[in-house]
Amino acid sequence: MSDLTRLTAFEIASAVASGEASAVEVAQAHLDRIAAVDDMVHAFLHVDSAGALAAAARVDAARAAGEALGPLAGVPLALKDVFTMSGVPTTCGSKILEGWRPPYDATVTRRLKEAGVVILGKTNMDEFAMGSSTENSAYGPTRNPWDLDRVPGGSGGGSSAAVASFMAPLGIGTDTGGSIRQPAAVTGTVGAKPTYGGVSRYGLIAFSSSLDQGGPCARTVLDAALLHEVIAGHDVMDSTSISAPVPPVVAAARAADVSGMRIGVVREFSGEGYQPGVETRFREAVAVLESLGASVSEVSCPHFTYALPAYYLIAPSECSSNLARFDGMRFGLRVGDDGTRDAEQVMSLTRDAGFGDEVKRRIILGTFALSSGYYDAYYGQAQKVRTLITRDFERAFESVDVLVSMTTPTTAFRIGERADDPMAMYLADLCTIPSNLSGGAAMSVPCGLSPDDGLPVGLQIMAPALADDRMYRVAAAYEAASGGPLTREVPAL
Ligand code: GLN
């Protein structure tokens, strides 16, 4: 067959199932591609060639034995380094976990393996998923395949860059404030944050537990939906996992029909701070949806403008508690344990050496926001704002089926451009954070290249909790009308 790395996940699975290509051939083609271009992109922190080829061989053997194959059997995937994978280094982009090999699989990892998905390796990310550019990785930044001087977004920039540069047709990300959708937008790929609780968090190293959610990265909407159905569903190992049927996202992606749907454009997300070219492409996308038979109206969600400050109290508060487990005793790094120091000193030296600046900033901020005397004023107040944002969504969904906005206010920025300005970095998630706070589903689908800089723009579609299928329906309809996946235009590396 021609270049196997150019196929979609759906096409690869079909080729493997029919015997047109073997899973081993497919895995090898992707490993070769990684060897050829990842020096430039740096999407992977660890490539598990032997594990990938062995998993692929198992799929080929199962086929030869006449066993039924799952819908993604033999398809390679890039796994964000925030999910544990038994025996394979898992760092979360942090020095503090360097050398740690988890003794167990995350539920997401286990489901991928059981489905015959071929895990190629672990992808780069902002340390503990805190960031919007992948520059906060302790292992150096990932580069955007559209322009190697630019960031691929974050925190899951590694998975999105791997998918955009044809090193893998599928990736897994996690989205606490936008870390699947924002990288998808700026790399011209598809990324979905399922309803909170839709995908198990067991084995997902926690950043902010009430917000973290795993989800799919892909080049097409159908591929994202196929992966979504493989990883989603109730899990007794995660007490926040929803015990309800997985929304029929694959059927919705196949239906790709928006006629009669009511689409609301969020009024608050436009104007100052939004790149004109991004806004242009967004307005055009809305017009396309209207031409496909959707009814479009403007909807006000007045509290969305407070989402960012609320998030930057809630997420650091939860992270200050979650990251307390990295104490130099149980996992990874231990500094200064030479017999002259007590446990507290070793803990303090380890955390000082092991955590980067952004992680420290958030632990300090979160510890302060939770401290006695300030708890109500900061954390408590932020939780009230969270309720108001959820109510904005509820009110909006009384009159529309989905909400849409730009995924990010700008296209990919240059490496280093925002590195010393946390506020500028935080603004990248202005439009994505509300869905994390409400727990609803949201995704990003490419909507062309910005006329001002030629870089990818994302259309965000937000749906109510457990109505993930609605957003796939809209995304697939838009993708079909816009001429198919945008990654067909990625410059050759
Ligand atoms: N960029 C946001 C942050 O820094 C969101 C990160 C995420 O979704 N993991 O917290």
Side-chain angles (χ1 to χ4, degrees):
M1 284 188 87
S2 57
D3 189 354
L4 293 165
T5 64
R6 294 273 146 178
L7 302 181
T8 66
F10 176 70
E11 289 164 346
I12 290 173
S14 312
V16 168
S18 70
E20 226 178 313
S22 73
V24 168
E25 252 179 278
V26 171
Q28 192 59 58
H30 286 85
L31 292 168
D32 291 348
R33 174 79 183 159
I34 293 171
V37 303
D38 203 36
D39 275 353
M40 286 178 269
V41 179
H42 191 228
F44 284 88
L45 291 178
H46 178 81
V47 179
D48 184 21
S49 306
L53 290 169
R58 280 193 293 277
V59 171
D60 289 334
R63 181 180 178 275
E67 289 170 30
L69 298 182
L72 289 178
V75 180
L77 174 139
L79 182 61
K80 187 176 180 183
D81 204 25
V82 67
F83 282 98
T84 61
M85 181 168 176
S86 186
V88 173
T90 299
T91 68
C92 249
S94 181
K95 284 279 178 226
I96 211 158
L97 277 177
E98 195 164 22
W100 183 58
R101 288 178 189 256
Y104 71 107
D105 279 336
T107 297
V108 164
T109 310
R110 178 174 59 76
R111 289 198 175 161
L112 292 169
K113 287 181 175 175
E114 286 169 1
V117 172
V118 173
I119 301 174
L120 297 170
K122 310 295 296 290
T123 53
N124 200 11
M125 55 185 281
D126 286 299
E127 186 176 9
F128 287 105
M130 299 175 198
S132 305
S133 68
T134 317
E135 291 165 292
N136 294 340
S137 168
Y139 303 97
T142 298
R143 293 169 181 274
N144 190 325
W146 291 85
D147 176 347
L148 294 171
D149 291 332
R150 293 184 187 255
V151 304
S155 62
S159 285
S160 294
V163 168
S165 57
F166 298 90
M167 290 191 265
L170 296 176
I172 293 280
T174 56
D175 195 310
T176 304
S179 283
I180 292 175
R181 291 164 285 160
Q182 185 257 5
V186 302
T187 59
T189 57
V190 178
K193 181 195 91 69
T195 297
Y196 179 81
V199 171
S200 172
R201 288 185 299 108
Y202 179 69
L204 189 183
I205 297 170
F207 160 17
S208 180
S209 307
S210 77
L211 301 164
D212 298 341
Q213 187 56 210
C217 311
R219 290 189 292 264
T220 71
V221 175
L222 177 61
D223 282 2
L226 288 164
L227 181 55
H228 188 133
E229 286 197 5
V230 164
I231 58 174
H234 184 239
D235 178 19
V236 291
M237 299 302 280
D238 172 3
S239 62
T240 61
S241 156
I242 298 173
S243 174
V246 176
V249 295
V250 172
R254 290 216 165 93
D257 175 16
V258 289
S259 55
M261 273 184 98
R262 300 163 305 166
I263 294 178
V265 176
V266 179
R267 178 177 305 152
E268 283 72 16
F269 288 153
S270 79
E272 205 194 327
Y274 291 83
Q275 188 176 322
V278 172
E279 189 135 11
T280 302
R281 288 294 177 251
F282 169 67
R283 299 283 160 203
E284 288 168 1
V286 172
V288 167
L289 291 171
E290 200 162 20
S291 75
L292 294 172
S295 66
V296 174
S297 57
E298 201 170 87
V299 176
S300 176
C301 297
H303 300 97
F304 280 17
T305 42
Y306 304 116
L308 199 68
Y311 173 89
Y312 276 99
L313 288 166
I314 294 168
S317 295
E318 294 185 10
C319 106
S320 71
S321 159
N322 274 325
L323 270 57
R325 76 193 60 181
F326 303 106
D327 54 7
M329 301 295 138
R330 283 171 291 179
F331 315 97
L333 189 72
R334 181 181 300 172
V335 176
D337 184 15
D338 59 5
T340 68
R341 297 186 177 87
D342 65 20
E344 202 171 314
Q345 289 169 320
V346 171
M347 200 183 296
S348 154
L349 286 171
T350 302
R351 287 167 68 85
D352 188 30
F355 288 138
D357 288 348
E358 182 63 22
V359 171
K360 286 178 185 159
R361 178 170 14 246
R362 296 198 193 193
I363 292 173
I364 292 167
L365 197 92
T367 306
F368 177 73
L370 291 177
S371 59
S372 105
Y374 295 101
Y375 183 96
D376 286 341
Y378 294 115
Y379 187 71
Q381 192 71 5
Q383 291 291 14
K384 287 181 192 160
V385 172
R386 185 173 189 173
T387 302
L388 293 174
I389 288 164
T390 304
R391 287 195 192 139
D392 277 359
F393 272 115
E394 284 165 2
R395 203 165 304 119
F397 290 133
E398 283 169 12
S399 60
V400 296
D401 300 307
V402 294
L403 288 169
V404 293
S405 72
M406 291 163 263
T407 306
T408 57
T410 70
T411 56
F413 40 91
R414 286 204 164 71
I415 291 177
E417 194 180 314
R418 300 192 190 178
D420 299 323
D421 185 351
M423 196 55 209
M425 193 69 87
Y426 298 170
L427 283 169
D429 297 301
L430 201 56
C431 311
T432 46
I433 284 174
S435 295
N436 299 88
L437 292 172
S438 74
M443 71 188 286
S444 181
V445 65
C447 69
L449 302 175
S450 174
D452 37 30
D453 56 17
L455 291 166
V457 175
L459 164 68
Q460 180 178 226
I461 306 152
M462 295 165 271
L466 289 176
D468 307 42
D469 49 317
R470 280 188 213 167
M471 66 187 187
Y472 278 96
R473 183 179 276 269
V474 176
Y478 177 77
E479 179 186 61
S482 68
L486 188 63
T487 38
R488 66 187 182 276
E489 293 180 35
V490 176
L493 287 173

